[in-house]
Amino acid sequence: MAMTPAEAAERAAQLRALLQHHAHRYYVLDDPQVSDAEYDCLFQALQALEDEYPALQTPDSPTQRIIGQVLDGFAPVRHTVPMLSIRTETDTDPSGAWAFDARVRRELSLAPSDPPVIYTAELKFDGLAINLRYENGVLVQAATRGDGETGENVTQNMRTIKEIPGQLRTRGALPAVLEVRGEVYMRRDDFDALNERQRQRMADGDRTGKTFVNPRNAAAGAVRQLDPRIAALRPLRFFAYGLGDFDGWAGGPPPSQSALLEALGAFGLPVNADHAVVSGGSGLADFHAAVQARRGQLPFDIDGVVYKVDDRALQQRLGFVSREPRWAVAHKYPAQEQITGLRAIEVQVGRTGKLTPVAKLEPVFVGGTTVSNATLHNLFELRRKRVRIGDRVVVRRAGDVIPEVVGRVEALRPAYVPNFRMPRSCPVCGSQVLREPGGIDHRCTGGLYCGAQRKQALLHFAGRRAMNIDGLGEKIVDQLVDGGLVATLPALYQLSLEQLRALGRMGDKSARNLLTGLQTSKQTTLARFLFALGMRHVGESTAKDLAAHFGSLDRLLAASEEQLLAVRDVGPVVAHTLRLFLDQPHNRDVIDQLRAAGITWAEHDGVAQAEPLPLAGQTFVLTGTLPTLTRDEARALIEAAGGKVAGAVSKKTNWLVAGDDAGSKREKADALGVAVLDEAGLQQLLSDIASA
């Protein structure tokens, strides 16, 4: 007897709930209650119902985990709460744990007699960070980390991971919005089985088949497949460990990191059980040592552990520095090592002009990949390690990522081999090579003139936090440089529509958009311009300090080293390096040509002026989506008026600038009595202070 639509809807809901329950038991709890055949029978029954009644299909249905649609590309996703990276503790000994604890105690102004800080210690999974967005308990979006501000929409591929629930489980009310941060990874046994299948395909004559280097690369590649059917064939898994945006969470989020992990598990999300609440530096060091002792027995790869201050209120109090939380750190382990032969030593020139000796090796498999090149860092490290061409050397994947030569295997050399010497001239542009006073690195003085630095200099110049040239990405830069159209930064502003149209895969619309992006970039700030030049030691913060201190480019160009030392956080090395860069004739020529191309910014009299900037001492927080301004644009306007932009609302916050979907920051601002502005209110505030 046929079911009525109402009966079909009720049966479909029952089947979805049953399948989600059994999937949780199987994939998360590793404790199945039914056989595979019984699960398949339930799955097929739901599939048949949805085929007969297409309106019953829901985004969280188990049948929708594999969607047979090949995407044209990934849509960008702007993270409401940035996906920030955390600082890496390079000291791989237990002392690294103590060092982190000491920093936290110092930031909290704790005395030696005060109680120890409580931490949550977790594993650092070697996978790909993902943000899952649930609305009223239903998975609506999944995005990669990207640059921390904007990632890629990979929702279809994440639906293929059976450990990720399409519908959250709870006994109470679900948050209206819940963003879960976690890691997509692949177990080693699954990875080995995948590679075995790939090898069989290749043996059967499939020329498109290939084996994968390591589990992380295989997982990351699967996440970014345009065809979710391919992603579904990869044995991907997921662990949840953090929180992004949230709204409508009754009672608010848990007060600690450990409680948050429990809450995520209660929602039906997979949380790795290998975490612990520990006390002080000794607890962190013990956790680090205990995990290291059984690292090889774990079913998946890790490259360290992560420490987080457990109390979320203390996390907010500690805040962030340089876009990294002060309350968390990744503590790495010593990397894997192998022995191989050193064939030759070559010199590479980096974007900032640093000359790096690179070892050309007999290929060796280290840490999951074949290594034929490894860094020797600098001449002093090379001398300290007593490495010469022809030696047998120890190779390590430093931080499990960058291969390096650790040292030579002690053995007699068959014949005399002279020590390696750094060249006196840049191997690319012929400019003089110098070493900073007291420094260890040799650098090309060619600056913006050096061809080896050209592509990276252009990409850095065009970056979102520099000149923000929309449409100028890596592939376009490659074409412009390789085609001889752009050899210097000013040449960007001389490009014509015809030249851009002639580039491969550059249509009329893209060419016009790039020209518009170049034209728009001419209106900038002095801080952005200084950062865009890519000067050694001049990051975003230093560029802002220089711009605030001198107020104009001409005053900065004329400043002596002594005058540069008066700038906040500028020491002797930075002052000397900056002066050296600005004194190079070809660098001054580039700066003059960029100004002649029409790049302009507002200038002022510098911090020495009698009157402080109008918003000096006031702290703003940005949240939600503003109607016309991006967050970077709003930040720039506030900072130009002397204000500071923080990442979290606290008692020290003076203003919250809120757009659409403001979320929890708006709620906290209301609770603390912080004044709230919309975009129009911010513009009015800036207008009022400008006319005052």
Side-chain angles (χ1 to χ4, degrees), residues 86-156:
I86 61 174
R87 181 181 180 275
T88 297
E89 176 56 62
T90 55
D91 179 358
T92 58
D93 293 327
S95 54
W98 287 99
F100 173 62
D101 180 57
R103 285 196 301 273
V104 169
R105 294 185 67 85
R106 185 167 58 250
E107 292 289 343
L108 293 174
S109 301
L110 297 178
S113 58
D114 288 326
V117 177
I118 303 302
Y119 301 94
T120 293
E122 307 170 32
L123 304 185
K124 185 178 184 301
F125 310 109
D126 197 9
L128 187 71
I130 291 291
N131 183 76
L132 304 177
R133 184 177 177 90
Y134 289 87
E135 293 181 1
N136 297 314
V138 176
L139 178 65
V140 297
Q141 188 184 79
T144 60
R145 180 198 301 274
D147 64 1
E149 297 280 353
T150 303
E152 293 176 312
N153 190 326
V154 291
T155 308
Q156 288 86 348

Side-chain angles (χ1 to χ4, degrees), residues 453-470:
Q453 305 172 56
R454 190 169 297 150
K455 288 183 180 180
Q456 286 303 315
L458 287 166
L459 287 170
H460 177 78
F461 183 80
R464 185 169 54 84
R465 298 187 176 277
M467 298 301 290
N468 194 23
I469 303 176
D470 189 31

Side-chain angles (χ1 to χ4, degrees), residues 21-152:
H21 168 76
H22 290 308
H24 178 73
R25 300 287 306 187
Y26 185 91
Y27 292 104
V28 179
L29 302 182
D30 198 22
D31 184 24
Q33 292 180 322
V34 297
S35 66
D36 289 350
E38 289 172 281
Y39 182 92
D40 290 342
C41 184
L42 292 170
F43 186 94
Q44 291 162 8
L46 177 59
Q47 201 170 43
L49 265 179
E50 291 178 347
D51 288 342
E52 186 175 356
Y53 302 93
L56 296 179
Q57 286 187 357
T58 61
D60 62 314
S61 174
T63 65
Q64 300 305 299
R65 287 188 176 276
I66 302 177
I67 301 173
Q69 177 184 4
V70 180
L71 306 181
D72 293 328
F74 293 113
V77 173
R78 182 81 173 178
H79 297 304
T80 306
V81 176
M83 292 186 72
L84 304 179
S85 58
I86 61 174
R87 181 181 180 275
T88 297
E89 176 56 62
T90 55
D91 179 358
T92 58
D93 293 327
S95 54
W98 287 99
F100 173 62
D101 180 57
R103 285 196 301 273
V104 169
R105 294 185 67 85
R106 185 167 58 250
E107 292 289 343
L108 293 174
S109 301
L110 297 178
S113 58
D114 288 326
V117 177
I118 303 302
Y119 301 94
T120 293
E122 307 170 32
L123 304 185
K124 185 178 184 301
F125 310 109
D126 197 9
L128 187 71
I130 291 291
N131 183 76
L132 304 177
R133 184 177 177 90
Y134 289 87
E135 293 181 1
N136 297 314
V138 176
L139 178 65
V140 297
Q141 188 184 79
T144 60
R145 180 198 301 274
D147 64 1
E149 297 280 353
T150 303
E152 293 176 312

Side-chain angles (χ1 to χ4, degrees), residues 454-455 458 472 475-504 506 511 514-515 518 593:
R454 190 169 297 150
K455 288 183 180 180
L458 287 166
L472 188 59
K475 292 181 179 179
I476 301 300
V477 166
D478 285 343
Q479 289 180 289
L480 292 173
V481 174
D482 295 341
L485 294 178
V486 172
T488 64
L489 299 180
L492 287 170
Y493 296 95
Q494 299 168 8
L495 291 169
S496 67
L497 183 61
E498 290 70 26
Q499 287 175 314
L500 293 176
R501 281 172 173 164
L503 296 178
M506 175 67 84
L514 178 52
L515 288 179
L518 286 164
Q593 291 170 32

